[in-house]
Amino acid sequence: MLKRFVVAFCVFIVTFTGLAQAQASTTIDGMEQLAWEEIAPGIWSAQVGEAEASTFRDLAAAKPRMEGLAKMGAAEFPFDKNDTMGQVINGTRTSVRLPLGLDEQVYGLGMQFRNMNRRGEVYHLRTDHYGGILGRTHAPTPFYVTNDGYGVLFNTTKWISFYPGVGNRKDSTLPPRKDRTTEAGWQAVPTSDAVEASANTTGMEVIVFAGPTPLDVVRRYNLYFGGGPLVPRWGLGFWHRVPTAASDESVTAEVDEFAKRDFPLDVIGLEPGWQSKAYPCSFDWSPVRFPDPKNFVSSMTDRNLKVNLWVNPYISPDSTIFEAMRPYTGSHTVWLGEVPDYTIPEARKILTDHHKKNHLDIGVSGYKIDEVDGIDNWLWPDHATFPSGTSAEDMRQTYGSRMQQTITEMFHEKNTRTYGLVRGSNGGASAYPFAIYSDYYNHKGFVTALCNASLSGVLWTPEIRSAGTDKEWVLRMQTVCFSPMAMLNAWASGLKPWSREEVDTEIREAMKWRVRFLPYLYTAFAKYHFEGTPPFRAMVLEPGYIANSNDEAGVLDGEKNPYAEAVRKDVTDQYMMGDSILVAPFFSGDRRRNVVLPQGNWYDFYTGKLVGNGEVIEIPFYLKQIPLFVKEGGIIPLLKDDANNTSAWQDGVALEVRHYGSEGGSTSLYDDDGTTFDYEKDAYSWYDLSVAKTDNGTFATSVNKSSGTYRKTFGKVEWKFMTR
Ligand code: GAL
């Protein structure tokens, strides 16, 4: 029955009669039509006014992945070029106006926590510590995607204001005027036919990305900025951050406790106290807490553990590189530390020489870059100056990106992959191997951020820090174990996974699933890198997830349509992981929850049972495991055996490959050395894992190399047919 209501994205129909499409002949006073040039298949650029000195292109970690873009093929320019306009006002402010269908929905504009649909609100995009102010966020990416299947990046590192479907120029197509006293339908925010945006700059580049689906738009955006990061395999294990004043001895005792209690662990994160001085930072090891860093890191390496170091960029006079860095710092201090200008190559070299010698060469695997988002009265003022001449505003918008770039390059030179954390990012950041985190701590908001991150080319970790109840502890742990980075950040709480004994079993189970999912997750990250597909995605990016524009009120032919209702509200509490899995976490206080299933049959991951197809189902609360659902024909490669560390993936590792549903299917599995950049020189392989239905109704399986030159590392494949 519900299928009757289904209308796919690609046949999205605008129903607002009379004003149906933005009109080709619109004349907008003072604005000039943009001239578009195709710069890659399905990607076009237009320049308004002067070219800016620095754009997201300069900040990208890698060049466009032209091979991946070429594979996606050519596409038509997605809207009417006549309706695209730009203007430089008084030589100081640049504005852009692009058409927006009257029924079109807008997503993206950075990693916001509150909701997903941007239409009808105003966003002043600024890199900021999240404080709930619209547009101020850790990653204020000026890129939007619409359900009509195209996206636009405003390629400026300036503070930029967006008016998606807000504001009505007198010379635009206006909706009918209503008398508020006597007529129904008066609107506080009258329907607008455009997205307008502007920033204080003498010019701006605008880049359009074609679809046809919203997922294709995001893929083109990510590929254009180098493709997603192929994170090291160890990065997909469990991360634990220790209390801020931990010492080598306390850390060693803590990691040994993980092993003793049988909890997974791959990465240990040291918080500020590993340094001799913090806030501002020395970047030098504390002689009191870590007197022999080389020995400490190698003892962790012997345990197959990686060490990640917390830093913030503000440099203490006690740092061994303070004097060298001084000529390259800005006018103002942060926590009385000086602020290096990393747009200057010499400044970057001082930092990287120091870090290589004192950290990387002894085995440190990466960094957590804190405080690059900034609250106004913490960071530098708008009139601060920097030796390169970069404005305070530009510096605020891009500091996190510059740090990510500097560190990414440093590891690249060593042919060693890194994965770390950062609290500020922006456009063009797709290829950085960093997950964003926040001091904010709302569980639902964390999941919304996970969805929004996928629309902005960034990764996000809904880290677990603490919980009010045992139940909340489990639910948060489950979510983080099914996210881009599975991490307990105990810098302040000092909690361990086993801190709540009553729920030890559930916590251990969530963490162990994380490690078992390694083949599936690692492949999802390889697809992020080579194809641009985010490993964790908002439902609006899922083909078969339906926007039902025909059914405005959720009622059709007098019948209530729960599917349309749910979709219109924008589903922000469930998401896709890899090719085939839908994750629907429970939240504290839930007694049940709705799950919106895209078109096609869906199966319970744990039991293999059919749960629904293109509809909203209700599931009763359970604590044991996080609810996971698999698409028809889904094939899920897992480690066959439980493991506590990703080093379990070694030559000959046995896999369990699960199949769901009654149809055949196939998926690909990625293989390489897991730690170096040799994949850039083609040292990788893809395998096809296939299930075909035979004439007598049984399934035939196959595992075949489909491309690549890397030797096969996995061993025996055991198939498990979950739906019988
Ligand atoms: C905060 C950060 C926390 C923790 C803390 C240490 O800024 O968000 O995760 O690292 O600093 O002082």
Side-chain angles (χ1 to χ4, degrees), residues 244 271-272 279 310 368 370-371 423 437-439 463 489 491:
T244 190
E271 288 287 314
Y279 293 90
W310 175 100
K368 167 175 170 180
D370 207 20
E371 310 291 358
R423 225 175 54 192
Y437 63 101
S438 181
D439 282 346
E463 65 177 31
N489 179 11
W491 78 277

Side-chain angles (χ1 to χ4, degrees), residues 404-690:
Q404 290 180 80
Q405 190 179 46
T406 306
I407 285 168
T408 303
E409 279 170 12
M410 189 166 88
F411 278 93
H412 201 264
E413 278 166 25
K414 275 190 84 81
N415 194 25
T416 304
R417 283 184 239 168
T418 182
Y419 192 23
L421 294 129
V422 70
R423 225 175 54 192
S425 198
N426 208 322
S430 310
Y432 292 131
F434 286 85
I436 300 172
Y437 63 101
S438 181
D439 282 346
Y440 164 83
Y441 201 55
N442 179 290
H443 190 186
K444 268 201 176 154
F446 269 21
V447 174
T448 305
L450 216 163
C451 298
N452 280 322
S454 67
L455 293 153
S456 300
V458 292
L459 296 167
W460 157 255
T461 173
E463 65 177 31
I464 175 169
R465 297 202 285 267
S466 57
T469 61
D470 287 353
K471 189 164 146 187
E472 186 195 342
W473 183 241
V474 174
L475 299 178
R476 283 186 178 269
M477 181 62 93
Q478 289 174 342
T479 303
V480 83
C481 284
F482 287 82
S483 82
M485 184 185 280
M487 184 175 73
L488 166 55
N489 179 11
W491 78 277
S493 68
L495 293 176
K496 328 279 180 232
W498 52 89
S499 289
R500 286 178 175 269
E501 265 175 45
E502 294 288 301
V503 287
D504 240 33
T505 314
E506 289 83 353
I507 293 287
R508 190 180 289 104
E509 169 138 8
M511 291 168 69
K512 293 223 180 215
W513 272 121
R514 172 69 177 194
V515 189
R516 281 199 72 194
F517 265 102
L518 182 62
Y520 181 79
L521 284 177
Y522 192 55
T523 296
F525 272 85
K527 288 184 179 171
Y528 193 23
H529 177 70
F530 290 102
E531 296 167 13
T533 304
F536 293 83
R537 302 184 295 284
M539 295 310 296
V540 287
L541 296 179
E542 181 60 14
Y545 170 89
I546 315 307
N548 191 337
S549 62
N550 272 330
D551 184 16
E552 273 298 296
V555 175
L556 196 66
D557 300 338
E559 280 178 62
K560 210 156 196 259
N561 177 358
Y563 193 95
E565 247 174 340
V567 170
R568 194 177 31 260
K569 278 189 212 135
D570 284 311
V571 178
T572 56
D573 61 356
Q574 62 177 66
Y575 51 93
M576 294 298 300
M577 173 177 90
D579 277 350
S580 311
I581 295 185
L582 189 163
V583 186
F586 280 114
F587 302 93
S588 242
D590 280 358
R591 295 172 72 182
R592 62 187 71 84
R593 66 156 291 161
N594 283 347
V595 183
V596 180
L597 300 172
Q599 275 182 293
N601 287 336
W602 290 84
Y603 299 86
D604 181 295
F605 170 79
Y606 306 99
T607 65
K609 280 206 183 109
L610 177 70
V611 294
N613 177 341
E615 62 191 292
V616 183
I617 57 166
E618 189 184 89
I619 53 171
F621 180 83
Y622 52 89
L623 192 63
K624 189 170 156 39
Q625 292 142 332
I626 191 167
L628 301 177
F629 304 97
V630 187
K631 261 184 212 176
E632 176 66 58
I635 294 177
I636 315 294
L638 304 166
L639 294 183
K640 180 172 174 304
D641 302 311
D642 269 1
N644 285 340
N645 186 280
T646 59
S647 61
W649 185 326
Q650 45 181 266
D651 278 332
V653 62
L655 302 185
E656 174 181 305
V657 179
R658 297 188 170 193
H659 168 268
Y660 291 82
S662 50
E663 301 297 325
S666 76
T667 195
S668 39
L669 178 70
Y670 177 78
D671 203 354
D672 68 6
D673 68 22
T675 57
T676 74
F677 287 96
D678 290 356
Y679 65 86
E680 290 179 346
K681 294 177 225 121
D682 297 335
Y684 62 83
S685 291
W686 287 96
Y687 289 84
D688 267 340
L689 309 180
S690 299

Side-chain angles (χ1 to χ4, degrees), residues 156-296:
T156 179
T157 56
K158 298 285 185 301
W159 290 325
I160 179 165
S161 299
F162 268 88
Y163 300 81
V166 176
N168 306 78
R169 286 189 64 116
K170 65 182 183 185
D171 43 9
S172 69
T173 307
L174 298 172
R177 278 194 187 81
K178 302 274 181 186
D179 171 48
R180 196 177 178 185
T181 316
T182 58
E183 285 178 289
W186 178 88
Q187 294 173 291
V189 180
T191 305
S192 143
D193 62 351
V195 172
E196 297 186 352
S198 65
N200 276 331
T201 171
T202 53
M204 189 194 299
E205 185 193 13
V206 186
I207 306 181
V208 164
F209 300 83
T213 65
L215 178 59
D216 290 330
V217 175
V218 165
R219 288 182 54 207
R220 279 188 218 268
Y221 170 85
N222 289 332
L223 288 170
Y224 188 68
F225 288 106
L230 183 47
V231 303
R233 221 179 263 140
W234 54 257
L236 300 175
F238 193 79
W239 294 53
H240 177 67
R241 307 201 72 87
V242 295
T244 190
S247 66
D248 52 2
E249 280 174 11
S250 69
V251 175
T252 307
E254 201 159 325
V255 304
D256 287 346
E257 200 67 15
F258 271 77
K260 216 160 80 199
R261 292 174 181 261
D262 186 27
F263 282 95
L265 185 63
D266 258 272
V267 185
I268 197 82
L270 305 185
E271 288 287 314
W274 69 270
Q275 299 170 88
S276 56
K277 287 277 158 50
Y279 293 90
C281 294
S282 66
F283 312 130
D284 297 320
W285 292 90
S286 156
V288 180
R289 291 175 291 275
F290 291 89
D292 188 351
K294 188 164 179 233
N295 188 39
F296 166 74

